Amino acid sequence: MSNRNAIKDPDRKQNYRDILSSGAYALKTTFCHAPVVAGVYTALSLTGSACSVAQILVLQRLVDGVYRYIRGTGDGSAVLLWGSLYIAALTLSSAYGFARGKLDWYLRRRLTKSLTPAIAEKFSRIEYQYFENAEFQDTLSRMSQDPQEKIHAAFGNVVESIMQLLTLAGILGVFFGASFWIGMGAVLIGVPMSALKIHAVSRRNRTLGEATMDQRMTEYLQNLFFDKDAAYEIKVFRARDYILDLWHQVRGKVMKRSNKIQKELIEVESIADLLKIAYAAFAVAGLTAGFLAGDIGLGVLVSVLQSVERLFSAMDNVSRSVSNLGRVTYEISYLREFLGLEEEPEKTEEEVEKGGEILFDHVSFRYPGMDREILHDVSFRIRSGEKVALVGVNGAGKSTIVKLLCGLYRPDSGHIFIGGKDINTLTRKALRQYLAAVFQDFGAYQLTLRENIAMGDLDSMGDDDRLLKALSQADSGELSGLGLETNLGKLAEDGVDVSRGQWQRIAIARAFLSQAEFVVLDEPTASLDPIAESRVYQSFGEVLQKKGAIVISHRLASARMAERILLLEEGEVAESGSHEELMASGGLYATMYEEQSSWYKTNVS
C-alpha cells in the first residue's frame, strides 16, 4: 500500500509563500464553486477602494473651490459641482457597504451548498488507513468544523487585502503629491508598523497550531462528563477530581501559550500607537508649515490632515487582513492536505457472480507504521453459503481479515478473490451487494429507527414490513412498539435514548435486512447478555440458511454454529475443521474451549 504516511507535518510552520499559495487556492476554489457572485463581489470591492481615494481628491477640489469662492476668485458652480460629487462619493460608499454585505451572504450560502457535498464525497473516497492515523485525527479536528467557512473567510481576506493595499497606495499617492516628506514619513513609519503586527499575529497562529493536540485533549476530558457511559464510571470510581486535575493541567498549558502570545500582541499595539502619534504630529507640523509658506493649498492641507486617520486605518486593515489571511490559510492548509489524501483506486467490476466463493490466496499484511506482520501468508477458501468461524487470541488477525475482506485495507502481498474476481477491482456497490457486516464498533445513528435499520439496504427505506421483520429477527421486537419514525439518541428533542445492547440489535437488524450473499459478524453480540445472545444466534441460524457467514467471537460456544472453524495464531491459520474435529485433535482450539468452558462450571467445596 503506497503513501501510508502522507500526513507528516503536525508542527508545520508558515511562510509568506504558504500564505500566498493558500490565498490563491481560496480564490481558485471560490471562483470555481461560485463564479458569478465571487466576480461581482471582487469587482465591487475594488470599486470601493477607488471610491475611498476619490473622496480625498474630491474633498481637495471642494475645499479649494469654497476657498476661492470666499476670496472672490471663483464661482459657485465649481463649489456646487464638487460638493455634489463629494455627496455622491459618500452615498456610493454607504451603498457599497450594504451591497457587499448582501453579496457576502449569498457567497457563503453558495459555498456551503457546493463545497459540503464535495468534502463529504472525499471522505467516502479516501483510504480507510487514514482514519486510524493519529496525525489524520489532528488534521480532521482542524478542518472539519465548517471548512467551507474557512474558504469563504480566506477569499474575503484576500479580496480585502487587495482592496486595502490599493486604497493605501492611493492615499500614499495623495500624500506624496502634497509633500515628498509627508509621503516618505508615512512609508517609513507604516512599513515597520505593519510588519510588526503581521509577525506577531503569525506567531500567534503558529502557537495555536502547536496547541492543537492539547486543545483536543481538553475538549475530550471535558466531554467525558457529558458522555453517559463515561460519566457512570466516573461517578462509580469517584474519578471526578482526577479528571478535573488532568483537564486543569492540559488547559494550563494551552492558556500559558495563549497568554504569552497575547502579551506580545499588546506590546506590538502599544508600539504602533506611539508610531501613529509621532507621525500625526509630524504631518500636522509639516503641512501647516507648508501652507503658511504657500507651498501647498488649503484643499491639500484639509484633505491630507483629514486622511491621516484614514491612512492608519488602511494600514491597520492591511495588517489585519494579511494576518487574518495567515490565520485562515493556516487552517486551509489542513483542508488542502485532506483533499490531497490518496483515494481508493478506481474500481471496474460492478457485479459479482452469484454463488461465488471467497478465497484468500497467500495474503500478508501489516498496519501502517508497524514492523510486525499481522497476517503472514494466509490462505483459505470459503464456499458459497458456508458458515465459518474465525477464532484465536487477541491480536491473532481475526478482525484484520474482516477489514481486508470489506475492502478497508489492501493486502501487502497476495490476493483476495470474491466470486473469482480480485477484491481490488470490485466497486463499493458490488462489494456491498455481496457482503453485509455487523462490527463490534457498530454505528449508532441519531436518526429515526427507520433510517437506522434501512442503512442495511436503503432501497428498503419505505418497506415497513421488511424493516419490522429484520428488527424482530434481531430480537428487538420491543423496539418496534416505539414506531419506525421515532428519533433515536439525544440530538432531537423527542429522541429516545436506547441501551447499548439495543443499539447492537439494531445493527444486527441492518445485516438481516441486507440482500447480501455473505454476512460478516465481528463480535456481533458483545453488548448482549447470554440469554439475548442465545436468541440472536437462533435467529442467525434461521436468517442465514441461504447465506454464507463469517463469524468472529471470543465466546467459543457461539463458534459451534459454524460448519467450519479457522483458528488463527500469530497471523497464520493454525487449525481448520469443525468443532468436533478440532476438539478431537486436542490442539490449541480444544485447550481454549476447555479453559473458557470451565468459567461456566460451578465447583462446590
Side-chain angles (χ1 to χ4, degrees):
M1 187 182 303
S2 63
N3 200 25
R4 283 185 170 173
N5 299 311
I7 301 174
K8 295 181 179 179
D9 192 15
D11 189 24
R12 68 195 75 190
K13 293 183 178 180
Q14 271 194 314
N15 53 42
Y16 289 111
R17 182 178 298 176
D18 296 327
I19 293 175
L20 290 174
S21 175
S22 291
Y25 176 81
L27 284 174
K28 177 183 175 181
T29 302
T30 304
F31 273 98
C32 176
H33 289 274
V36 176
V37 180
V40 175
Y41 181 89
T42 302
L44 190 64
S45 298
L46 298 181
T47 302
S49 174
C51 283
S52 296
V53 179
Q55 284 183 40
I56 301 173
L57 296 175
V58 171
L59 180 61
Q60 283 185 14
R61 299 297 183 90
L62 175 61
V63 172
D64 284 338
V66 171
Y67 183 62
R68 285 194 294 270
Y69 180 77
I70 293 173
R71 296 182 62 183
T73 58
D75 57 31
S77 60
V79 175
L80 182 61
L81 172 63
W82 294 113
S84 300
L85 289 175
Y86 187 69
I87 292 173
L90 292 176
T91 304
L92 282 175
S93 294
S94 299
Y96 150 79
F98 173 78
R100 193 164 178 245
K102 292 288 289 184
L103 282 170
D104 186 68
W105 181 75
Y106 281 116
L107 185 61
R108 178 182 281 108
R109 285 186 59 189
R110 182 60 188 167
L111 284 176
T112 299
K113 182 178 180 180
S114 182
L115 266 177
T116 301
I119 292 169
E121 179 65 20
K122 179 67 179 184
F123 268 107
S124 70
R125 294 199 307 264
I126 62 175
E127 295 275 10
Y128 178 78
Q129 55 166 308
Y130 295 117
F131 290 94
E132 295 187 348
N133 181 297
E135 292 173 2
F136 175 67
Q137 294 304 315
D138 180 62
T139 297
L140 270 187
S141 71
R142 296 294 295 178
M143 60 72 60
S144 61
Q145 298 298 317
D146 296 324
Q148 67 278 359
E149 284 295 324
K150 295 178 175 62
I151 292 290
H152 170 262
F155 172 80
N157 278 294
V158 170
V159 175
E160 181 72 16
S161 297
I162 295 172
M163 184 185 78
Q164 294 298 339
L165 281 171
L166 291 175
T167 301
L168 182 59
I171 295 175
L172 285 174
V174 173
F175 279 34
F176 272 105
S179 165
F180 173 80
W181 294 111
I182 295 295
M184 184 56 67
V187 172
L188 293 177
I189 287 179
V191 170
M193 183 179 73
S194 299
L196 275 174
K197 287 188 175 184
I198 293 172
H199 175 72
V201 176
S202 296
R203 276 183 48 80
R204 181 193 67 181
N205 294 337
R206 287 199 299 271
T207 301
L208 291 175
E210 293 164 1
T212 300
M213 295 296 290
D214 289 332
Q215 187 63 41
R216 282 175 55 202
M217 179 57 74
T218 60
E219 293 171 0
Y220 168 74
L221 293 172
Q222 182 174 330
N223 288 334
L224 286 179
F225 292 101
F226 301 99
D227 182 86
K228 182 179 68 173
D229 296 329
Y232 177 78
E233 285 198 344
I234 289 171
K235 285 182 177 292
V236 171
F237 297 122
R238 301 185 181 184
R240 183 199 65 180
D241 292 342
Y242 178 75
I243 299 296
L244 280 176
D245 285 342
L246 284 178
W247 181 84
H248 282 298
Q249 290 174 25
V250 181
R251 181 64 177 169
K253 292 168 63 178
V254 174
M255 292 305 298
K256 184 177 180 180
R257 289 192 183 102
S258 178
N259 291 337
K260 180 180 179 182
I261 200 66
Q262 192 63 35
K263 181 181 178 182
E264 292 183 9
L265 288 172
I266 292 174
E267 291 174 352
V268 167
E269 286 294 337
S270 299
I271 294 172
D273 288 340
L274 290 175
L275 290 174
K276 288 179 184 178
I277 293 171
Y279 179 75
F282 167 73
V284 169
L287 288 169
T288 303
F291 176 72
L292 294 176
D295 295 331
I296 62 174
L298 181 62
V300 172
L301 173 67
V302 172
S303 63
V304 172
L305 286 178
Q306 189 263 348
S307 300
V308 168
E309 182 58 35
R310 185 177 296 183
L311 170 73
F312 286 117
S313 177
M315 288 180 178
D316 285 342
N317 288 336
V318 169
S319 300
R320 183 175 62 254
S321 297
V322 173
S323 299
N324 287 339
L325 181 61
R327 174 182 58 80
V328 177
T329 54
Y330 183 87
E331 295 173 339
I332 284 179
S333 66
Y334 288 89
L335 174 61
R336 295 178 69 188
E337 183 176 85
F338 165 74
L339 293 175
L341 291 177
E342 182 181 18
E343 297 183 2
E344 296 175 350
E346 192 71 27
K347 310 296 180 65
T348 57
E349 298 289 345
E350 298 183 356
E351 292 185 3
V352 178
E353 181 182 353
K354 290 187 179 298
E357 64 180 15
I358 295 173
L359 173 64
F360 271 61
D361 183 24
H362 299 286
V363 171
S364 296
F365 176 78
R366 65 165 56 87
Y367 286 103
M370 293 183 62
D371 296 327
R372 181 178 69 88
E373 279 190 334
I374 302 299
L375 297 178
H376 175 68
D377 198 32
V378 171
S379 295
F380 61 83
R381 188 185 305 270
I382 302 176
R383 299 182 301 276
S384 175
E386 187 179 14
K387 283 73 174 172
V388 174
L390 301 179
V391 300
V393 299
N394 289 335
K398 305 182 297 298
S399 293
T400 300
I401 285 178
V402 171
K403 290 178 179 179
L404 290 171
L405 185 58
C406 292
L408 300 180
Y409 284 96
R410 284 173 281 161
D412 293 324
S413 62
H415 297 276
I416 302 172
F417 296 96
I418 292 180
K421 296 181 178 179
D422 193 313
I423 193 173
N424 290 329
T425 67
L426 297 178
T427 63
R428 286 194 295 268
K429 180 180 179 181
L431 196 57
R432 186 175 66 250
Q433 289 174 343
Y434 192 84
L435 288 173
V438 179
F439 297 106
Q440 183 176 359
D441 297 324
F442 51 84
Y445 305 102
Q446 297 203 38
L447 302 169
T448 64
L449 178 59
R450 176 189 300 278
E451 291 167 316
N452 267 275
I453 304 170
M455 288 289 182
D457 182 5
L458 291 174
D459 292 335
S460 301
M461 183 72 74
D463 193 334
D464 290 14
D465 291 339
R466 283 193 62 201
L467 297 176
L468 293 173
K469 181 180 179 181
L471 198 60
S472 176
Q473 290 171 333
D475 194 36
S476 285
E478 79 279 1
L479 287 175
S480 61
L482 297 175
L484 291 174
E485 305 307 325
T486 299
N487 289 304
L488 301 183
K490 298 179 179 180
L491 191 61
E493 290 185 7
D494 60 347
V496 176
D497 191 19
V498 299
S499 69
R500 182 166 178 79
Q502 289 173 315
W503 277 119
Q504 185 157 40
R505 287 197 287 270
I506 292 171
I508 293 170
R510 284 198 286 270
F512 285 169
L513 184 70
S514 171
Q515 300 296 310
E517 292 194 39
F518 263 89
V519 177
V520 178
L521 306 167
D522 185 0
E523 292 289 347
T525 58
S527 297
L528 304 182
D529 60 73
I531 296 176
E533 178 186 36
S534 176
R535 290 200 298 265
V536 168
Y537 272 112
Q538 288 178 5
S539 295
F540 282 151
E542 298 169 4
V543 174
L544 302 180
Q545 284 182 356
K546 297 181 180 180
K547 294 178 183 288
I550 301 173
V551 182
I552 296 176
S553 178
H554 286 92
R555 300 173 185 174
L556 296 185
S558 64
R560 300 187 63 175
M561 69 166 281
E563 299 164 359
R564 185 157 55 102
I565 298 169
L566 299 178
L567 183 139
L568 294 169
E569 183 179 15
E570 295 183 355
E572 299 180 353
V573 178
E575 300 179 24
S576 175
S578 67
H579 171 76
E580 291 75 16
E581 291 170 343
L582 295 183
M583 291 298 294
S585 69
L588 178 59
Y589 175 82
T591 300
M592 292 172 60
Y593 186 86
E594 291 293 343
E595 288 182 355
Q596 195 172 99
S597 297
S598 67
W599 286 95
Y600 296 93
K601 298 177 181 178
T602 303
N603 297 316
V604 181
S605 58

